[in-house]
Amino acid sequence: MDLKVVKGMRDIVEDEMIRFQFLERKAREVFRLYGYEEIRTPLLEMTDLFKKGVGEDTDIIGKEMYLLKDRRDQSLALRPEGTASVVRSVINNNLLKKNKTVKYFYMGPMFRFERPQKGRYRQFHQIGIEFFGVPSADADLETLLMLNHYLTEIELFEISFELNSIGCLNENCRPAFKERLKSHLNEKKDRLCENCNRRINTNPLRVLDCKVKECIEATRDAPSIVEFLCGDCSRHFDELLRLLSGHKVKFNVNPRLVRGLDYYSKTVFEVYSNNLGAQNAVGGGGRFDYLFEVYGESPVPSIGFALGTDRLSMLLPQREPQGGGVFILGQDRELVSKLAADCRLAGIVSHYDPFLSSMKSQMRQANRHGVQKTLIVGEEEISQKQVAVKDMHNGEQENISMDLIIQYLNQALLKNTNQ
Ligand code: HAM
């Protein structure tokens, strides 16, 4: 039988799993400080949710969705991103009924049929947030500060933040810019790649984001969206820049930043790492004030972002398992397993060798687990109803009465979350 893993998918194991847990734990800690609650949405959604929300002319919808038919012939999609699902959930569950604003975070796998390479997978993971209900630039500021707070907390420093506004659907705003851009691109048609030639009419903004060298050259003097923003969008962007200048975080305005999903309006941003090679975007997001309307609801001003957990994890240093707890070493199966059971009920991480190998081999295992203390119950200790406790850091050993061992350990072990 062929046990190959599906192309573009992978297992998260050992050291990487520890880094994923660290990234997710820190996200919970930081997001909680800003009033976020967790939300979990299904991996499968109706295909139209993404088609309508993310936009038919995007790469994600046009060529990257995992589509399947269920037994009733309904068209379903494995979620390529989280925002559309969270908006659906807010609508379906009436989550904005009690409060004018709500904040949700999520973490989990997403699926895109892209060409796999370093840092790009077909099943990848995101940590994301969505903030609903606040139209003013204060929400944008808070979102960017939280993003920066999180990245500082996980000690990711060699990164750059880029920021732009892509305006709104007001006819003197993005639509006017699109027309201007289209005529500029039509003049450069011959120098643009095949993909961009197609995009001139379907999604001209995306041409600004093309990574092909000739396209970058050809659009160097393209008009800039920032100069086309309507009064409201331009005030919003100026206000955000003014608010940001009062904080330490440094964002570079990049007028070519457009993002690959259609639901954005006004503020968009991305975070890049200098140490990732070609797939260097660790996260991105922006405002999506129109998305509720796309689904036939009244508008709800919204903003959010998602970080690529796989990419963040590549940037973190190797992490040793935290270890801690105790190893119980002995030859009396019943006694060893009883002691382990008592320790575990008392909240102490405990290991023992189910094969009861030689004492030497068990001591090696204790070292491998990185425990704080080894509890030795050899024949001599048993006869004296004692346990020899060896401290694995300084090698010191002392004898403790069997009856008092849990009490002793509760005081002696350094407690930490992962023991
Ligand atoms: P996105 O820019 O498509 O935005 O994805 C966010 C992040 O997910 C990327 O910056 C990247 O780190 C990671 N990512 C995307 N595709 C892959 C892949 N194939 N392999 C590994 N990592 C990947 C969104 O998904 C929006 N929903 C973000 C958002 C939330 N906007 C508003 N709220």
Side-chain angles (χ1 to χ4, degrees):
M1 199 190 148
D2 191 351
L3 284 181
K4 259 199 329 227
V5 70
V6 177
K7 187 170 175 193
M9 318 231 158
R10 67 204 186 103
D11 304 305
I12 311 295
V13 294
E14 298 194 312
D15 181 54
E16 176 141 49
M17 192 65 240
I18 294 169
R19 280 177 279 151
F20 262 59
Q21 284 174 341
F22 166 79
L23 290 167
E24 295 185 351
R25 187 172 72 244
K26 285 288 173 198
R28 288 176 205 283
E29 280 171 24
V30 173
F31 299 165
R32 192 178 62 84
L33 301 175
Y34 293 75
Y36 279 77
E37 284 175 31
E38 185 165 0
I39 187 166
R40 293 194 195 186
T41 60
L43 299 193
L44 276 177
E45 296 273 6
M46 307 295 272
T47 305
D48 273 354
L49 180 79
F50 300 113
K51 272 197 181 162
K52 289 221 169 91
V54 178
E56 305 230 23
D57 296 325
T58 60
D59 286 350
I60 296 181
I61 303 306
K63 30 184 210 197
E64 295 170 4
M65 271 216 290
Y66 272 90
L67 296 172
L68 57 109
K69 286 255 157 95
D70 71 5
R71 286 165 189 276
R72 302 258 179 282
D73 242 15
Q74 284 197 110
S75 171
L76 304 179
L78 277 172
R79 63 179 187 193
E81 60 103 47
T83 310
S85 304
V86 176
V87 168
R88 180 202 48 69
S89 179
V90 168
I91 297 168
N92 287 165
N93 298 297
N94 233 335
L95 300 176
L96 267 164
K97 202 174 163 195
K98 277 187 257 145
N99 300 304
K100 281 199 179 133
T101 74
V102 284
K103 298 171 170 183
Y104 288 106
F105 75 85
Y106 51 89
M107 37 189 78
M110 308 288 161
F111 303 83
R112 295 184 193 173
F113 196 84
E114 294 188 80
R115 197 169 50 77
Q117 62 181 89
K118 185 168 164 254
R120 188 160 76 192
Y121 310 101
R122 289 182 175 171
Q123 174 172 330
F124 61 99
H125 302 79
Q126 284 187 347
I127 295 174
I129 68 104
E130 316 294 350
F131 178 3
F132 300 103
V134 182
S136 68
D138 304 282
D140 308 33
L141 174 75
E142 184 183 293
T143 304
L144 293 173
L145 291 181
M146 183 169 87
L147 172 61
N148 186 55
H149 187 162
Y150 175 70
L151 295 172
T152 310
E153 200 62 34
I154 61 167
E155 299 183 12
L156 206 67
F157 297 118
E158 290 181 4
I159 43 178
S160 54
F161 291 94
E162 304 218 330
L163 186 63
N164 193 19
S165 172
I166 55 164
C168 67
L169 297 185
N170 179 327
E171 61 182 32
N172 334 312
C173 198
R174 198 188 321 158
F177 172 70
K178 262 190 178 171
E179 284 314 308
R180 180 70 196 79
L181 182 63
K182 259 190 205 172
S183 57
H184 175 87
L185 296 175
N186 272 318
E187 285 165 27
K188 314 271 169 169
K189 233 171 155 47
D190 305 343
R191 294 168 59 196
L192 299 177
C193 72
E194 204 180 308
N195 234 340
C196 284
N197 261 292
R198 203 173 29 79
R199 285 175 180 146
I200 295 180
N201 293 314
T202 57
N203 208 343
L205 260 65
R206 292 290 298 154
V207 177
L208 297 177
D209 197 35
C210 182
K211 303 287 181 284
V212 176
K213 219 170 117 208
E214 288 72 27
C215 297
I216 298 177
E217 280 300 321
T219 56
R220 214 170 269 293
D221 56 347
S224 163
I225 177 101
V226 185
E227 284 152 31
F228 279 75
L229 295 179
C230 67
D232 180 38
C233 288
S234 149
R235 272 190 299 278
H236 186 96
F237 197 43
D238 288 347
E239 175 67 356
L240 175 59
L241 295 180
R242 190 186 68 74
L243 290 170
L244 271 172
S245 68
H247 294 267
K248 280 205 192 97
V249 43
K250 193 166 163 1
F251 276 86
N252 309 313
V253 174
N254 172 4
R256 295 177 72 102
L257 178 66
V258 291
R259 304 278 296 134
L261 304 93
D262 275 357
Y263 48 58
Y264 293 111
S265 54
K266 293 188 175 163
T267 313
V268 289
F269 51 90
E270 280 198 0
V271 187
Y272 303 98
S273 157
N274 309 333
N275 302 320
L276 266 182
Q279 300 307 317
N280 63 349
V282 288
R287 266 200 176 270
F288 48 99
D289 292 346
Y290 294 102
L291 192 48
F292 280 73
E293 278 169 276
V294 170
Y295 296 134
E297 300 288 309
S298 321
V300 176
S302 316
I303 184 165
F305 64 75
L307 293 154
T309 320
D310 309 79
R311 293 185 190 171
L312 289 177
S313 133
M314 286 165 69
L315 293 166
L316 293 184
Q318 296 275 332
R319 258 157 224 273
E320 292 298 319
Q322 270 188 311
V326 300
F327 190 95
I328 302 157
L329 191 151
Q331 298 294 334
D332 181 328
R333 179 179 300 279
E334 251 181 77
L335 192 72
V336 168
S337 77
K338 170 79 170 60
L339 197 48
D342 288 348
C343 285
R344 288 164 179 166
L345 286 178
I348 298 161
V349 174
S350 314
H351 310 270
Y352 67 90
D353 174 8
F355 305 109
L356 303 179
S357 336
S358 71
M359 296 300 237
K360 218 166 142 191
S361 152
Q362 290 191 37
M363 194 47 98
R364 273 201 302 273
Q365 293 177 47
N367 274 315
R368 264 206 307 278
H369 282 292
V371 294
Q372 282 183 47
K373 309 261 184 202
T374 297
L375 312 184
I376 304 162
V377 278
E379 270 173 33
E380 204 181 312
E381 287 82 13
I382 296 175
S383 70
Q384 292 169 12
K385 291 199 166 37
Q386 287 193 329
V387 180
V389 181
K390 179 172 177 182
D391 186 291
M392 301 300 276
H393 299 299
N394 58 22
E396 280 171 19
Q397 198 163 310
E398 56 185 319
N399 280 8
I400 307 291
S401 151
M402 198 83 91
D403 297 337
L404 297 176
I405 187 69
I406 298 294
Q407 206 178 331
Y408 166 87
L409 288 173
N410 271 332
Q411 282 172 3
L413 289 177
L414 289 174
K415 294 260 165 158
N416 67 40
T417 43
N418 267 7
Q419 261 198 65

